Amino acid sequence: MSERSAQPERHEDWTFALTRSPVFGALSLDGRTRLAARGSVVALASGARLCSADDPADAAYLIITGELEIALSRPDGGEVWLARAAAGSVVGDMALLDGGVRSADMTATRNCRLLRLGRQALLDALEAEPAAALTLLADLARRLRAANGRLEDTTALDLGARLARLLLESRSGLVSRSQSEIARLVGAARETVNRKLSEWRKSGLIEIGRSGIRVLSPERLRAEASTGS
């Protein structure tokens, strides 16, 4: 794991970070304070790997700032992209709860600060407040459904549909990713993705510039996303 310890911070700051989390916000103030006191903040540089599939799982992480990408490695060397986890998200909790190993690779897509929560500290907090445990399980179920949907898309949808769905995920309409990264995320060769993007640019669906790919016609892209099975 490529994490490094960050500078010490006040436990009050960590308690506030837990409060902002949809999962740990369900804990009482005392519960959040106790959990924060047992946590530690780590820093992860952009591009660094937090963990790999099959690594031992001894902690869960709350993302304070930054973003992580979660993916599965394929036997051919490619990847199946599962999700992006932003500030406020909890990662690594599934293996932590069942005592197993990591099920996916997690990599920072930008500089991150994470609150590391050891397994016993987290289990103690959830056992003390079952309502928070139910909140965590509901969040875990939601993320598992989303991950299953990603896997189904990879096998059932053609390139155009997968690419359209990826571009439509940006709320701003601007996708600031390189075409090589996009190709990796949709599980296709860069040349094939470039041809499809060039086709859409000529048709007026997108605009390609220095800042990234801007969606010009979300309605037409939605049609591409829904008809590519």
Side-chain angles (χ1 to χ4, degrees):
M1 182 168 58
S2 304
E3 68 181 44
R4 63 180 178 82
S5 297
Q7 293 299 315
E9 300 179 48
R10 296 182 306 169
H11 289 169
E12 292 87 346
D13 297 333
W14 307 350
T15 302
F16 179 69
L18 290 170
T19 302
R20 296 177 60 193
S21 164
V23 172
F24 296 117
L27 288 170
S28 66
L29 177 58
D30 286 345
R32 294 194 301 271
T33 301
R34 288 193 298 269
L35 184 58
R38 298 176 68 179
S40 59
V41 171
V42 296
L44 199 65
S46 177
R49 180 69 59 86
L50 176 64
C51 65
S52 300
D54 297 326
D55 282 352
D58 60 351
Y61 296 86
L62 171 66
I63 303 176
I64 300 174
T65 60
E67 181 184 77
L68 291 174
E69 177 181 286
I70 303 170
L72 288 173
S73 298
R74 298 199 315 244
D76 62 4
E79 286 185 329
V80 177
W81 178 58
L82 297 178
R84 281 193 298 270
S89 300
V90 180
V91 298
D93 48 327
M94 181 169 65
L96 186 70
L97 291 173
D98 69 6
V101 297
R102 301 297 186 193
S103 59
D105 305 330
M106 295 185 224
T107 307
T109 58
R110 62 187 69 171
N111 292 342
C112 292
R113 287 170 60 250
L114 312 166
L115 181 59
R116 182 184 184 278
L117 302 167
R119 184 171 191 264
Q120 193 58 54
L122 181 57
L123 292 179
D124 288 347
L126 297 178
E127 288 175 0
E129 301 190 35
L134 292 176
T135 301
L136 177 60
L137 290 175
D139 183 69
L140 179 58
R142 176 188 59 79
R143 285 182 280 131
L144 285 174
R145 283 196 298 270
N148 286 338
R150 293 281 186 197
L151 292 172
E152 290 174 3
D153 287 351
T154 300
T155 57
L157 299 178
D158 64 19
L159 170 63
R162 300 199 306 273
L163 184 56
R165 292 189 179 196
L166 177 63
L167 297 181
L168 288 169
E169 286 187 349
S170 172
R171 294 182 179 179
S172 67
L174 178 65
V175 179
S176 300
R177 293 181 178 273
S178 69
Q179 293 184 22
S180 295
E181 186 177 10
I182 290 173
R184 180 173 58 83
L185 294 178
V186 299
R190 176 180 175 179
E191 294 76 13
T192 307
V193 170
N194 289 351
R195 284 196 296 270
K196 177 58 73 172
L197 291 174
S198 178
E199 174 188 324
W200 286 351
R201 179 183 58 79
K202 292 176 182 177
S203 300
L205 276 71
I206 62 172
E207 179 181 74
I208 303 176
R210 291 184 177 180
S211 57
I213 300 171
R214 183 172 298 280
V215 175
L216 301 178
S217 180
E219 296 81 7
R220 292 168 65 187
L221 272 186
R222 290 190 189 100
E224 291 276 353
S226 63
T227 60
S229 60

